Amino acid sequence: SQQGEEDPQALSIQEGENATMNCSYKTSINNLQWYRQNSGRGLVHLILIRSNEREKHSGRLRVTLDTSKKSSSLLITASRAADTASYFCATDARAAGNKLTFGGGTRVLVKP
Amino acid sequence: ETGVTQSPTHLIKTRGQQVTLRCSSQSGHNTVSWYQQALGQGPQFIFQYYREEENGRGNFPPRFSGLQFPNYSSELNVNALELDDSALYLCASSLASIFSTRAGYGYTFGSGTRLTVV
């Protein structure tokens, strides 16, 4: 079973709106990372949040981490058509040998 | 954009054959990981190498094997291909290792090799 599970599985929004997706995980982590994937190509690293951090910003991205609830959220503000992609959370846990464990992803469609 | 290159980009093989996929990692990244991504799913960890030694393996059979070379390149070998091996295979490199995990490093992924087994 996968460590991270994203919610929702799919999201459709209008350009300019905000997109929020959530990730839940099961075990203690060192850090949690978010990646974007366009049309089945390689993954692009977006942002990493460490277990002792609660919130992090990068441009139009805002990530939160709640270790007590074992959950994270990714907010994309003022979305653009170019944000259309699949978004994955991945956990890095020492107990898992420091490999990345991915969730199933959220497919985001931003309509112009 | 990416410092990780994979070859080939696409490959068609027949069931029972063997395949070798290649990856050139970002310079200085001692850790390389390989992932399998089936259509519509998240990547699944196959194994990880650190300084040419395997230091982590996912739930994949022994017919999946790998090598990492001193020049930051690596290979994924799959023997006795099955239809279910059809997937996108992703290579990722990082400064992360079991010794540096608390520093928190992201991974740089290649664009992947699309393998189709017929």
Side-chain angles (χ1 to χ4, degrees), chain A residues 71-88:
Chain A
S71 67
S72 174
S73 68
L74 171 66
L75 168 68
I76 305 173
T77 60
S79 63
R80 305 166 182 169
D83 294 328
T84 295
S86 291
Y87 293 82
F88 295 90

Side-chain angles (χ1 to χ4, degrees), chain B residues 40-113:
Chain B
Q41 297 183 22
Q44 296 290 311
F45 175 75
I46 302 175
F47 44 58
Q48 178 169 285
Y49 282 79
Y50 175 71
R51 292 187 174 175
E52 301 161 52
E53 291 200 10
E54 184 180 298
N55 75 342
R57 190 176 183 91
N59 189 26
F60 280 81
R63 59 190 185 84
F64 285 78
S65 62
L67 286 171
Q68 184 186 26
F69 303 102
N71 64 351
Y72 303 112
S73 66
S74 63
E75 290 180 353
L76 164 64
N77 298 288
V78 186
N79 294 322
L81 283 167
E82 301 176 359
L83 298 180
D84 285 348
D85 295 333
S86 295
L88 180 69
Y89 288 85
L90 296 161
C91 167
S93 72
S94 175
L95 289 169
S97 76
I98 58 174
F99 308 110
S100 66
T101 182
R102 294 201 179 276
Y105 297 105
Y107 282 74
T108 302
F109 279 79
S111 296
T113 294

